[in-house]
Amino acid sequence: MLQSIERKPNFIVRGLYKFSDFILDFAPIFSAIFSFLGRFSLVLVNLIILAGTIIFSASHSLQLLRLAGATDGLEWVAMVVWELIFIFSSIILANDFRKGNWKSGWAPWLGFLMGFLFVEVSNVMGMA
């Protein structure tokens, strides 16, 4: 019968063990850093997309308001008003829906529909 020989690891293998133990001590930190970078990149990309969408929508709204005859800075005021009506009504409705309140009242719905129609018409006309 063959007799099993028990070998002890040499200094290279023991050094590798020590190095891997040292590196694995930092595994939670590496995990947290990679998790943070992943979440941060998603937030950053979403903010860039949001900013681009708002800039395009605002430029189309300005074009529509100028075609309608708004000049001398009034087109900027009207654009901000229309965009804010749409954005804030959307936020109110989204919060109400999240809370399970399906009866938000007529004002948020009217603001949402008016803002939505204006934004959609200006975007369609601006892209045409």
Side-chain angles (χ1 to χ4, degrees):
M1 272 222 184
L2 289 175
Q3 193 175 17
S4 74
I5 301 172
E6 193 172 312
R7 294 183 52 179
K8 294 185 179 183
N10 61 22
F11 71 96
I12 294 173
V13 174
R14 286 193 306 263
L16 290 173
Y17 286 156
K18 286 181 183 179
F19 180 72
S20 66
D21 284 343
F22 176 75
I23 293 297
L24 289 177
D25 286 341
F26 295 100
I29 293 172
F30 292 142
S31 175
I33 288 172
F34 289 134
S35 177
F36 168 76
L37 289 176
R39 285 187 310 237
F40 177 74
S41 64
L42 287 175
V43 168
L44 184 65
V45 167
N46 280 321
L47 287 175
I48 291 170
I49 291 170
L50 178 64
T53 303
I54 289 172
I55 290 169
F56 272 113
S57 182
S59 69
H60 294 150
S61 297
L62 284 173
Q63 284 178 341
L64 179 64
L65 289 165
R66 287 177 181 146
L67 283 173
T71 57
D72 300 328
L74 291 177
E75 70 270 26
W76 286 91
V77 173
M79 182 266 304
V80 169
V81 168
W82 280 109
E83 296 285 339
L84 289 179
I85 286 172
F86 177 58
I87 291 169
F88 285 124
S89 296
S90 299
I91 291 170
I92 290 170
L93 291 173
N95 282 334
D96 285 348
F97 289 160
R98 191 176 319 124
K99 293 176 186 174
N101 180 12
W102 297 96
K103 299 177 183 177
S104 298
W106 62 270
W109 280 106
L110 181 64
F112 173 77
L113 292 174
M114 286 173 36
F116 180 76
L117 287 174
F118 177 78
V119 168
E120 286 303 310
V121 168
S122 68
N123 284 337
V124 168
M125 288 181 67
M127 299 287 258

